[in-house]
Amino acid sequence: DGIHFATKDGNFTAGINGRMQVDSQTNFNNNVAPATGANTSNDLNDGVTLRRARLGIEGTFFKNTDYKFEYDFTRGNGTTAAGVTDAFIRYNFSKPFSVKFGAFKEPFSLEEATSNRYITFIERNMITNAFVDDLNTYKVGIGANYSAERWQVATSLQTEPVGNNGASNSATFNGTNPNGGVNRSGGSGDTNWEVNGRVSGLPWMESKTKFWHVGASGSYINVNNNYLANGNFSNGGISFARGLDNNVDRTNILNTGNLTSGTRGTATWREADHLTRFGAETAVVYGPFSVQSEYIATNVSGKGYSGDALDGFYAYGTYFLTGESRAYKAKTGAWDRIKPNHNFDMKGGWGAWELAAGYDSIDLNSGPIHGGKAQTAKFGINWYPNSHVRVMADYVHALDINTFDVANARSKAFNNSDLDVIETRVQLDW
Amino acid sequence: DGIHFATKDGNFTAGINGRMQVDSQTNFNNNVAPATGANTSNDLNDGVTLRRARLGIEGTFFKNTDYKFEYDFTRGNGTTAAGVTDAFIRYNFSKPFSVKFGAFKEPFSLEEATSNRYITFIERNMITNAFVDDLNTYKVGIGANYSAERWQVATSLQTEPVGNNGASNSATFNGTNPNGGVNRSGGSGDTNWEVNGRVSGLPWMESKTKFWHVGASGSYINVNNNYLANGNFSNGGISFARGLDNNVDRTNILNTGNLTSGTRGTATWREADHLTRFGAETAVVYGPFSVQSEYIATNVSGKGYSGDALDGFYAYGTYFLTGESRAYKAKTGAWDRIKPNHNFDMKGGWGAWELAAGYDSIDLNSGPIHGGKAQTAKFGINWYPNSHVRVMADYVHALDINTFDVANARSKAFNNSDLDVIETRVQLDW
Amino acid sequence: DGIHFATKDGNFTAGINGRMQVDSQTNFNNNVAPATGANTSNDLNDGVTLRRARLGIEGTFFKNTDYKFEYDFTRGNGTTAAGVTDAFIRYNFSKPFSVKFGAFKEPFSLEEATSNRYITFIERNMITNAFVDDLNTYKVGIGANYSAERWQVATSLQTEPVGNNGASNSATFNGTNPNGGVNRSGGSGDTNWEVNGRVSGLPWMESKTKFWHVGASGSYINVNNNYLANGNFSNGGISFARGLDNNVDRTNILNTGNLTSGTRGTATWREADHLTRFGAETAVVYGPFSVQSEYIATNVSGKGYSGDALDGFYAYGTYFLTGESRAYKAKTGAWDRIKPNHNFDMKGGWGAWELAAGYDSIDLNSGPIHGGKAQTAKFGINWYPNSHVRVMADYVHALDINTFDVANARSKAFNNSDLDVIETRVQLDW
């Protein structure tokens, strides 16, 4: 795909990749509590956005070393560096084994491992976003990958994202770092660190279009908490917050607030010291049909917590009206690019058409944590005029939103509300 | 021009374009009111700037789909995304008809349709900036274009720019959107939207160097206004503000202030509900001579307004000492790249030399609106050593500045002042 | 190196260059004063960072004109434009003589003239950073260069950096310009300006691997100082501040504070009106051995100052275990890319290995200026698996930190502390 160059001796190669996603969101706000006093309306707003605009360069040096640098020009309101996604140098010891240094995605979850160019719905499911992607999954560290024909294992020791995302993250390691995600000046404490691992494979594979995928992920996250000399909590900690599957108005409907708060040594002091995350995933492709499901749990440990578990799951099915199958890459244990059987043209080519329906559930309440819970049903239709363009439309219906115990007033306003959201996307990538 | 690539089957092409503009501004401040108390001087400041530094990538997929992404690395103090200019995906149904999705320039005005690489003076005229460009003309939406040999028509339904420009816009949809131009979180209301159209053509064309251009533009803009639950104006609205044709110190000499203000339902409440813009344009090229003129009016409607009209016009002439003619592209109804008859070299090649003189007038006073008014005379000399480099010098003389009724104190200080500005530019583009 | 393109007639060429540096820092804080009250810990923090991630494009037009644009995606917390490093257009009158316009590095100091890809230790020495690089050495202006076979001279008239670096600069022209380094709106005063020159050459050169380099730099900097109408200092001025050679936690251990302060005309008023900088440099390469040393002094003049001199020097030696020599380019008077005798591979190739040891000293105390002083010893080991990848490890030991008289409380906490820092870097560039 795309543009590729190489020097004559083959010692240096480079390719330029890119993607653009133009999105819209229209909301039907029913039974959202009205605003009072000096507050603006609680309703979600309608609009359009350039959801992602990324350019990247990747290639190899002297055959065994490769690199990737990718930048998202629409990321965040924070520092410029927050736009960096992948930025790593990798040494390939042998075909299946490699080690990389730099910023790269955590190995965790099937939906997270899948590029946003290839996910089925316009946005990832709530658990994938709340527990993995919203924390900014591109973090600086060291990773090792091993892959065989039908399975792969990925592990990493990672720290923090490259830049400070400002308010763009709905959940984040809170205010740890006013100077950018990885600049430690100004009393931002030693970096967060985490150990991650994911293994996936195909226990059954009849052909490229008939197989069964299973996988599991695990992660330990050490949370950075900083206190003033007088014992008051200063910065750090962690929060989990989420809208439904909305892409333009990203108001947090669910919101735990910062899990670290109070003054060290007092009765009301709580500290999220570390998190453990677990994920289980499965998918089956049978010709034009597919089903996919994941469960993710995050346990919070520390002062005032006893491994309190936030969790959720999703399940959905897809069907290609035009006969294609979902494309899969065993090396990464993730979904890949769809090639229509017939490209769209004015002479009767239809491209590929895909239908999808799913159920999505998340629970951010546990013990002393009151982040709320929600379930949605969603329906999607995807049109692939050719292998590099995709037009999508999703309908998301809130089955239940329970935010009665959430401290945040805006979140609380959505308790028992009836939200419906229609989203669209026009995407090009290469 | 520039760097272009294609895959062997021609299904994918890409090209990289870029521009750099290094500017200087020297001011002669006469009769500007002195600052008092805890204010800094009202005088304009001298300096240099990297006015624009843009890189873009554009190309085609499977012949009929094309795309463009361009980023300006010197834009704004706002979010990173504010640097995005063009970011669209386009489908070409047939040679003259195309539809595009994403961020692109509003079709409005000859001078705005012309790339800043090809405009005659260093900065566009005051009406083009105040009523079109300062609002950030690159907005997300859908556009349709049709062109024939000698004329074209362009229409669009657009919303807001991609990112939040921060303080870099002299006029803006005010503070609508602290989270970036198109992220609707945080009570920023449903997006602004607008419908635009422009038609242009050549009623007379004897040759490529002798022709008469005419055109007209129209636009309806729905303004986003958000109130607190208690009725106080919260954010949104719109203001118009402008310096003279200055490029380094962009202090607003004219300034309407936000046209929405006050508390809903009270006597002092004003709300700019929608704007209608009209433009008329003409130009004649006759060998090395050209003349060009435009008139633009913006009518403000809503609570407290009755279609109050802000308007202005400009007219200028140019002459190539070295015999070239201004280059024109009928497909876009806009000026194009100049190719000197003889490139500059050490063996007697002079490149192309162009002289220009013009008159520029704007009136931001109307009914309850007190933004001030100004007229300038300007003179320019442009040197094109080759087709991709341009060296420019402009002298701008304020004929009249009337800001007596403007509320903003800094603006008021320029009432009846005698400003002269000398600007220079060194430009490279491909 | 890298990717290069040219049109068939050779009138246009372009190349894409890039670099990535992934760094870590681990600190051993001993005898740092503990924080009190509502302050966070004074200790330096550990972490990793993407130190630099740059992409650039450079090339030529019509043979004689060339250009370069480079952007650092990890720079600063300020405006997007602050990421611009080089952005210039250059005309080459003849082989050795050229003139450039735009943003480029000041010609000052051997270590500053050397790309950060080729410097010996992970960070430049304290004097190079404090007196040259921390002020952001990439400034907009005009430069002229002349080079012969064994020597070169570079001069420039420069102003300010392209964007506003926010808090990322440890020393800066303070708050001159809330609107970006070169946008003069908002009472930021006329731009700073400076005249710089550097001459360097090889008085002795037996071969490419046996030579003696000497050089000298000089600079006059006019500092922008802005006052309110009531005489109070508003913005501008200059400060010098520095950590040790740390790359992740860049806390300023030395800090002069702003050298302009107070109210115009009062007894406590101080104003840094202009600076003069002087530098002397030398280096010898003798096969695998090299030594290098520089002295830099900055004199502060103006109200309350009498040419008070801040200064320092460094000296270090290097040795290639694998027999290579340091690479030098006479045209720029700077160090160049190392090519290992044998690239690293699994069949016994070791790449190149280099050891380094140095002494680094800076004194920011002089007359009324109390910025503190420090000396460090440092040791480094560099591994070059091939010509485009480098793995580095440095150990920096504070010999003496004297910040007893520094006003800044955080800086003062490091007085007589015993700091040790271990840093690592993985670098790829082309």
Side-chain angles (χ1 to χ4, degrees), chain A residues 14 71 79 81 93 159 179 182 184-185 189-191 229-230, chain C residues 3 37 39 45-46 48-49 73 77 248-250 346 430:
Chain A
Y71 192 79
T79 57
F93 284 91
T159 58
N179 288 319
V182 290
R184 313 311 305 173
S185 308
D190 295 342
T191 183
N230 61 21
Chain C
I3 328 177
N39 293 307
N45 292 122
D46 303 341
V48 298
T49 194
F73 289 90
N77 310 302
V248 176
D249 187 327
R250 303 192 203 170
M346 291 299 186
W430 76 88

PDB file of all heavy atoms in Angstrom, chain A residues 14 71 79 81 93 159 179 182 184-185 189-191 229-230, chain C residues 3 37 39 45-46 48-49 73 77 248-250 346 430:
ATOM      1  N   ALA A  14      11.674   3.546   3.075  1.00  0.00           N
ATOM      2  CA  ALA A  14      10.754   4.436   3.765  1.00  0.00           C
ATOM      3  C   ALA A  14       9.410   4.402   3.066  1.00  0.00           C
ATOM      4  O   ALA A  14       9.327   4.207   1.856  1.00  0.00           O
ATOM      5  CB  ALA A  14      11.293   5.864   3.781  1.00  0.00           C
ATOM      6  N   TYR A  71       2.035  10.911  13.417  1.00  0.00           N
ATOM      7  CA  TYR A  71       1.532  12.071  14.140  1.00  0.00           C
ATOM      8  C   TYR A  71       0.067  12.279  13.794  1.00  0.00           C
ATOM      9  O   TYR A  71      -0.326  12.185  12.636  1.00  0.00           O
ATOM     10  CB  TYR A  71       2.341  13.308  13.752  1.00  0.00           C
ATOM     11  CG  TYR A  71       2.085  14.492  14.655  1.00  0.00           C
ATOM     12  CD1 TYR A  71       2.685  14.569  15.897  1.00  0.00           C
ATOM     13  CD2 TYR A  71       1.225  15.508  14.282  1.00  0.00           C
ATOM     14  CE1 TYR A  71       2.443  15.629  16.744  1.00  0.00           C
ATOM     15  CE2 TYR A  71       0.975  16.586  15.123  1.00  0.00           C
ATOM     16  CZ  TYR A  71       1.587  16.639  16.355  1.00  0.00           C
ATOM     17  OH  TYR A  71       1.344  17.692  17.204  1.00  0.00           O
ATOM     18  N   THR A  79      -0.219  19.804  24.724  1.00  0.00           N
ATOM     19  CA  THR A  79       1.023  20.145  24.064  1.00  0.00           C
ATOM     20  C   THR A  79       1.070  19.538  22.671  1.00  0.00           C
ATOM     21  O   THR A  79       0.395  18.560  22.378  1.00  0.00           O
ATOM     22  CB  THR A  79       2.203  19.599  24.873  1.00  0.00           C
ATOM     23  OG1 THR A  79       2.024  18.195  25.018  1.00  0.00           O
ATOM     24  CG2 THR A  79       2.244  20.234  26.247  1.00  0.00           C
ATOM     25  N   ALA A  81       3.317  17.797  21.444  1.00  0.00           N
ATOM     26  CA  ALA A  81       3.831  16.430  21.512  1.00  0.00           C
ATOM     27  C   ALA A  81       2.725  15.410  21.725  1.00  0.00           C
ATOM     28  O   ALA A  81       2.898  14.230  21.431  1.00  0.00           O
ATOM     29  CB  ALA A  81       4.874  16.314  22.617  1.00  0.00           C
ATOM     30  N   PHE A  93      15.431  -9.424  15.702  1.00  0.00           N
ATOM     31  CA  PHE A  93      16.489 -10.411  15.907  1.00  0.00           C
ATOM     32  C   PHE A  93      16.390 -11.533  14.889  1.00  0.00           C
ATOM     33  O   PHE A  93      17.369 -12.025  14.365  1.00  0.00           O
ATOM     34  CB  PHE A  93      16.415 -10.990  17.320  1.00  0.00           C
ATOM     35  CG  PHE A  93      16.932 -10.045  18.337  1.00  0.00           C
ATOM     36  CD1 PHE A  93      16.096  -9.151  18.972  1.00  0.00           C
ATOM     37  CD2 PHE A  93      18.290 -10.021  18.636  1.00  0.00           C
ATOM     38  CE1 PHE A  93      16.587  -8.265  19.904  1.00  0.00           C
ATOM     39  CE2 PHE A  93      18.777  -9.138  19.577  1.00  0.00           C
ATOM     40  CZ  PHE A  93      17.930  -8.249  20.201  1.00  0.00           C
ATOM     41  N   THR A 159       5.679   3.450  30.232  1.00  0.00           N
ATOM     42  CA  THR A 159       5.551   4.490  31.242  1.00  0.00           C
ATOM     43  C   THR A 159       4.373   5.406  30.919  1.00  0.00           C
ATOM     44  O   THR A 159       3.239   5.071  31.222  1.00  0.00           O
ATOM     45  CB  THR A 159       6.862   5.294  31.333  1.00  0.00           C
ATOM     46  OG1 THR A 159       7.159   5.862  30.068  1.00  0.00           O
ATOM     47  CG2 THR A 159       8.013   4.391  31.770  1.00  0.00           C
ATOM     48  N   ASN A 179       3.817  19.729  32.497  1.00  0.00           N
ATOM     49  CA  ASN A 179       4.871  20.057  31.539  1.00  0.00           C
ATOM     50  C   ASN A 179       4.937  19.085  30.371  1.00  0.00           C
ATOM     51  O   ASN A 179       5.926  19.037  29.655  1.00  0.00           O
ATOM     52  CB  ASN A 179       6.224  20.079  32.229  1.00  0.00           C
ATOM     53  CG  ASN A 179       6.351  21.280  33.127  1.00  0.00           C
ATOM     54  OD1 ASN A 179       5.934  22.365  32.770  1.00  0.00           O
ATOM     55  ND2 ASN A 179       6.892  21.070  34.303  1.00  0.00           N
ATOM     56  N   VAL A 182       5.897  13.422  29.625  1.00  0.00           N
ATOM     57  CA  VAL A 182       7.108  12.723  30.004  1.00  0.00           C
ATOM     58  C   VAL A 182       8.195  13.667  30.506  1.00  0.00           C
ATOM     59  O   VAL A 182       9.301  13.240  30.748  1.00  0.00           O
ATOM     60  CB  VAL A 182       7.643  11.890  28.833  1.00  0.00           C
ATOM     61  CG1 VAL A 182       6.717  10.724  28.578  1.00  0.00           C
ATOM     62  CG2 VAL A 182       7.790  12.725  27.595  1.00  0.00           C
ATOM     63  N   ARG A 184       9.540  15.541  33.546  1.00  0.00           N
ATOM     64  CA  ARG A 184       9.268  15.344  34.973  1.00  0.00           C
ATOM     65  C   ARG A 184       9.519  16.581  35.820  1.00  0.00           C
ATOM     66  O   ARG A 184       9.525  16.491  37.054  1.00  0.00           O
ATOM     67  CB  ARG A 184      10.108  14.190  35.516  1.00  0.00           C
ATOM     68  CG  ARG A 184      10.119  12.920  34.710  1.00  0.00           C
ATOM     69  CD  ARG A 184       8.768  12.417  34.303  1.00  0.00           C
ATOM     70  NE  ARG A 184       7.856  12.229  35.409  1.00  0.00           N
ATOM     71  CZ  ARG A 184       6.583  11.923  35.254  1.00  0.00           C
ATOM     72  NH1 ARG A 184       6.062  11.794  34.049  1.00  0.00           N
ATOM     73  NH2 ARG A 184       5.808  11.765  36.299  1.00  0.00           N
ATOM     74  N   SER A 185       9.763  17.725  35.235  1.00  0.00           N
ATOM     75  CA  SER A 185      10.014  18.924  36.023  1.00  0.00           C
ATOM     76  C   SER A 185       8.755  19.327  36.788  1.00  0.00           C
ATOM     77  O   SER A 185       7.659  18.905  36.483  1.00  0.00           O
ATOM     78  CB  SER A 185      10.425  20.080  35.103  1.00  0.00           C
ATOM     79  OG  SER A 185      11.481  19.696  34.266  1.00  0.00           O
ATOM     80  N   GLY A 189       6.615  14.093  39.998  1.00  0.00           N
ATOM     81  CA  GLY A 189       6.871  12.749  40.500  1.00  0.00           C
ATOM     82  C   GLY A 189       7.548  11.839  39.505  1.00  0.00           C
ATOM     83  O   GLY A 189       7.614  12.130  38.318  1.00  0.00           O
ATOM     84  N   ASP A 190       8.036  10.706  39.998  1.00  0.00           N
ATOM     85  CA  ASP A 190       8.595   9.700  39.102  1.00  0.00           C
ATOM     86  C   ASP A 190       7.479   9.204  38.195  1.00  0.00           C
ATOM     87  O   ASP A 190       6.316   9.161  38.578  1.00  0.00           O
ATOM     88  CB  ASP A 190       9.173   8.532  39.901  1.00  0.00           C
ATOM     89  CG  ASP A 190      10.362   8.959  40.756  1.00  0.00           C
ATOM     90  OD1 ASP A 190      10.935  10.033  40.482  1.00  0.00           O
ATOM     91  OD2 ASP A 190      10.686   8.232  41.710  1.00  0.00           O
ATOM     92  N   THR A 191       7.839   8.814  36.991  1.00  0.00           N
ATOM     93  CA  THR A 191       6.840   8.399  36.008  1.00  0.00           C
ATOM     94  C   THR A 191       6.001   7.214  36.484  1.00  0.00           C
ATOM     95  O   THR A 191       6.478   6.351  37.218  1.00  0.00           O
ATOM     96  CB  THR A 191       7.551   8.023  34.693  1.00  0.00           C
ATOM     97  OG1 THR A 191       6.573   7.683  33.736  1.00  0.00           O
ATOM     98  CG2 THR A 191       8.487   6.852  34.871  1.00  0.00           C
ATOM     99  N   ALA A 229       4.299  18.874  50.843  1.00  0.00           N
ATOM    100  CA  ALA A 229       5.014  18.579  52.088  1.00  0.00           C
ATOM    101  C   ALA A 229       4.069  18.516  53.280  1.00  0.00           C
ATOM    102  O   ALA A 229       4.298  17.783  54.248  1.00  0.00           O
ATOM    103  CB  ALA A 229       6.103  19.632  52.315  1.00  0.00           C
ATOM    104  N   ASN A 230       2.959  19.240  53.234  1.00  0.00           N
ATOM    105  CA  ASN A 230       1.995  19.215  54.338  1.00  0.00           C
ATOM    106  C   ASN A 230       1.034  18.035  54.273  1.00  0.00           C
ATOM    107  O   ASN A 230       0.113  17.932  55.080  1.00  0.00           O
ATOM    108  CB  ASN A 230       1.222  20.547  54.395  1.00  0.00           C
ATOM    109  CG  ASN A 230       0.421  20.796  53.112  1.00  0.00           C
ATOM    110  OD1 ASN A 230       0.120  19.865  52.365  1.00  0.00           O
ATOM    111  ND2 ASN A 230       0.077  22.045  52.873  1.00  0.00           N
TER     112      ASN A 230
ATOM    113  N   ILE C   3      16.130   9.735   1.925  1.00  0.00           N
ATOM    114  CA  ILE C   3      15.281   9.693   0.747  1.00  0.00           C
ATOM    115  C   ILE C   3      15.504  10.970  -0.043  1.00  0.00           C
ATOM    116  O   ILE C   3      15.363  12.067   0.495  1.00  0.00           O
ATOM    117  CB  ILE C   3      13.803   9.630   1.150  1.00  0.00           C
ATOM    118  CG1 ILE C   3      13.613   8.866   2.471  1.00  0.00           C
ATOM    119  CG2 ILE C   3      12.982   9.029   0.052  1.00  0.00           C
ATOM    120  CD1 ILE C   3      12.186   8.840   2.948  1.00  0.00           C
ATOM    121  N   GLY C  37       5.610  22.899  53.747  1.00  0.00           N
ATOM    122  CA  GLY C  37       4.289  23.485  53.501  1.00  0.00           C
ATOM    123  C   GLY C  37       3.656  23.029  52.205  1.00  0.00           C
ATOM    124  O   GLY C  37       3.626  21.841  51.885  1.00  0.00           O
ATOM    125  N   ASN C  39       4.424  22.884  49.180  1.00  0.00           N
ATOM    126  CA  ASN C  39       5.322  22.649  48.057  1.00  0.00           C
ATOM    127  C   ASN C  39       5.491  21.159  47.833  1.00  0.00           C
ATOM    128  O   ASN C  39       5.415  20.357  48.759  1.00  0.00           O
ATOM    129  CB  ASN C  39       6.710  23.257  48.334  1.00  0.00           C
ATOM    130  CG  ASN C  39       6.635  24.766  48.392  1.00  0.00           C
ATOM    131  OD1 ASN C  39       6.139  25.403  47.482  1.00  0.00           O
ATOM    132  ND2 ASN C  39       7.099  25.326  49.506  1.00  0.00           N
ATOM    133  N   ASN C  45      12.990  14.053  39.502  1.00  0.00           N
ATOM    134  CA  ASN C  45      12.199  12.854  39.267  1.00  0.00           C
ATOM    135  C   ASN C  45      12.774  11.994  38.152  1.00  0.00           C
ATOM    136  O   ASN C  45      13.417  12.500  37.240  1.00  0.00           O
ATOM    137  CB  ASN C  45      10.752  13.237  38.923  1.00  0.00           C
ATOM    138  CG  ASN C  45      10.039  13.851  40.104  1.00  0.00           C
ATOM    139  OD1 ASN C  45       9.558  14.976  40.050  1.00  0.00           O
ATOM    140  ND2 ASN C  45      10.014  13.112  41.196  1.00  0.00           N
ATOM    141  N   ASP C  46      12.497  10.696  38.231  1.00  0.00           N
ATOM    142  CA  ASP C  46      12.958   9.742  37.219  1.00  0.00           C
ATOM    143  C   ASP C  46      11.911   9.588  36.127  1.00  0.00           C
ATOM    144  O   ASP C  46      10.719   9.753  36.378  1.00  0.00           O
ATOM    145  CB  ASP C  46      13.172   8.360  37.851  1.00  0.00           C
ATOM    146  CG  ASP C  46      14.144   8.404  39.013  1.00  0.00           C
ATOM    147  OD1 ASP C  46      14.914   9.374  39.100  1.00  0.00           O
ATOM    148  OD2 ASP C  46      14.118   7.465  39.840  1.00  0.00           O
ATOM    149  N   VAL C  48      11.191   8.600  31.569  1.00  0.00           N
ATOM    150  CA  VAL C  48      11.663   8.445  30.195  1.00  0.00           C
ATOM    151  C   VAL C  48      10.979   9.511  29.360  1.00  0.00           C
ATOM    152  O   VAL C  48       9.980  10.097  29.765  1.00  0.00           O
ATOM    153  CB  VAL C  48      11.321   7.050  29.639  1.00  0.00           C
ATOM    154  CG1 VAL C  48      11.994   5.975  30.441  1.00  0.00           C
ATOM    155  CG2 VAL C  48       9.834   6.857  29.562  1.00  0.00           C
ATOM    156  N   THR C  49      11.532   9.770  28.202  1.00  0.00           N
ATOM    157  CA  THR C  49      10.925  10.780  27.340  1.00  0.00           C
ATOM    158  C   THR C  49      11.272  10.508  25.892  1.00  0.00           C
ATOM    159  O   THR C  49      12.265   9.823  25.606  1.00  0.00           O
ATOM    160  CB  THR C  49      11.416  12.193  27.732  1.00  0.00           C
ATOM    161  OG1 THR C  49      10.584  13.159  27.107  1.00  0.00           O
ATOM    162  CG2 THR C  49      12.859  12.439  27.271  1.00  0.00           C
ATOM    163  N   PHE C  73       8.479  17.537  16.729  1.00  0.00           N
ATOM    164  CA  PHE C  73       7.136  17.258  17.244  1.00  0.00           C
ATOM    165  C   PHE C  73       7.094  17.141  18.767  1.00  0.00           C
ATOM    166  O   PHE C  73       6.027  17.005  19.337  1.00  0.00           O
ATOM    167  CB  PHE C  73       6.592  15.975  16.606  1.00  0.00           C
ATOM    168  CG  PHE C  73       6.249  16.147  15.162  1.00  0.00           C
ATOM    169  CD1 PHE C  73       7.190  15.918  14.179  1.00  0.00           C
ATOM    170  CD2 PHE C  73       4.994  16.579  14.784  1.00  0.00           C
ATOM    171  CE1 PHE C  73       6.882  16.097  12.838  1.00  0.00           C
ATOM    172  CE2 PHE C  73       4.677  16.771  13.451  1.00  0.00           C
ATOM    173  CZ  PHE C  73       5.626  16.533  12.475  1.00  0.00           C
ATOM    174  N   ASN C  77       5.777  23.440  25.371  1.00  0.00           N
ATOM    175  CA  ASN C  77       4.383  23.403  25.765  1.00  0.00           C
ATOM    176  C   ASN C  77       3.699  24.631  25.234  1.00  0.00           C
ATOM    177  O   ASN C  77       2.593  24.962  25.631  1.00  0.00           O
ATOM    178  CB  ASN C  77       4.265  23.401  27.280  1.00  0.00           C
ATOM    179  CG  ASN C  77       5.161  22.354  27.867  1.00  0.00           C
ATOM    180  OD1 ASN C  77       5.020  21.193  27.543  1.00  0.00           O
ATOM    181  ND2 ASN C  77       6.124  22.786  28.677  1.00  0.00           N
ATOM    182  N   VAL C 248      15.384  14.620  31.194  1.00  0.00           N
ATOM    183  CA  VAL C 248      13.977  14.293  31.444  1.00  0.00           C
ATOM    184  C   VAL C 248      13.389  15.269  32.466  1.00  0.00           C
ATOM    185  O   VAL C 248      12.443  15.977  32.179  1.00  0.00           O
ATOM    186  CB  VAL C 248      13.819  12.831  31.918  1.00  0.00           C
ATOM    187  CG1 VAL C 248      12.374  12.530  32.264  1.00  0.00           C
ATOM    188  CG2 VAL C 248      14.314  11.872  30.831  1.00  0.00           C
ATOM    189  N   ASP C 249      13.929  15.287  33.664  1.00  0.00           N
ATOM    190  CA  ASP C 249      13.531  16.316  34.636  1.00  0.00           C
ATOM    191  C   ASP C 249      14.476  17.490  34.442  1.00  0.00           C
ATOM    192  O   ASP C 249      15.644  17.426  34.796  1.00  0.00           O
ATOM    193  CB  ASP C 249      13.625  15.777  36.067  1.00  0.00           C
ATOM    194  CG  ASP C 249      13.044  16.777  37.070  1.00  0.00           C
ATOM    195  OD1 ASP C 249      13.170  18.000  36.831  1.00  0.00           O
ATOM    196  OD2 ASP C 249      12.475  16.335  38.069  1.00  0.00           O
ATOM    197  N   ARG C 250      13.934  18.578  33.871  1.00  0.00           N
ATOM    198  CA  ARG C 250      14.801  19.699  33.518  1.00  0.00           C
ATOM    199  C   ARG C 250      14.719  20.839  34.526  1.00  0.00           C
ATOM    200  O   ARG C 250      14.868  22.006  34.185  1.00  0.00           O
ATOM    201  CB  ARG C 250      14.430  20.226  32.131  1.00  0.00           C
ATOM    202  CG  ARG C 250      14.509  19.152  31.074  1.00  0.00           C
ATOM    203  CD  ARG C 250      14.434  19.773  29.707  1.00  0.00           C
ATOM    204  NE  ARG C 250      13.971  18.821  28.719  1.00  0.00           N
ATOM    205  CZ  ARG C 250      13.632  19.122  27.485  1.00  0.00           C
ATOM    206  NH1 ARG C 250      13.711  20.384  27.089  1.00  0.00           N
ATOM    207  NH2 ARG C 250      13.218  18.216  26.634  1.00  0.00           N
ATOM    208  N   MET C 346      24.802 -10.357  13.638  1.00  0.00           N
ATOM    209  CA  MET C 346      24.837 -11.544  14.479  1.00  0.00           C
ATOM    210  C   MET C 346      26.033 -12.429  14.141  1.00  0.00           C
ATOM    211  O   MET C 346      26.216 -13.478  14.734  1.00  0.00           O
ATOM    212  CB  MET C 346      23.534 -12.331  14.328  1.00  0.00           C
ATOM    213  CG  MET C 346      22.334 -11.626  14.929  1.00  0.00           C
ATOM    214  SD  MET C 346      22.550 -11.356  16.738  1.00  0.00           S
ATOM    215  CE  MET C 346      20.927 -10.694  17.171  1.00  0.00           C
ATOM    216  N   TRP C 430      18.337   9.856  10.011  1.00  0.00           N
ATOM    217  CA  TRP C 430      18.765   9.682   8.623  1.00  0.00           C
ATOM    218  C   TRP C 430      18.680  11.006   7.888  1.00  0.00           C
ATOM    219  O   TRP C 430      18.049  11.927   8.391  1.00  0.00           O
ATOM    220  CB  TRP C 430      17.904   8.622   7.936  1.00  0.00           C
ATOM    221  CG  TRP C 430      16.563   9.100   7.578  1.00  0.00           C
ATOM    222  CD1 TRP C 430      16.184   9.735   6.426  1.00  0.00           C
ATOM    223  CD2 TRP C 430      15.363   9.005   8.368  1.00  0.00           C
ATOM    224  NE1 TRP C 430      14.848  10.034   6.449  1.00  0.00           N
ATOM    225  CE2 TRP C 430      14.327   9.605   7.628  1.00  0.00           C
ATOM    226  CE3 TRP C 430      15.075   8.486   9.626  1.00  0.00           C
ATOM    227  CZ2 TRP C 430      13.019   9.700   8.114  1.00  0.00           C
ATOM    228  CZ3 TRP C 430      13.788   8.587  10.090  1.00  0.00           C
ATOM    229  CH2 TRP C 430      12.774   9.181   9.344  1.00  0.00           C
TER     230      TRP C 430
END
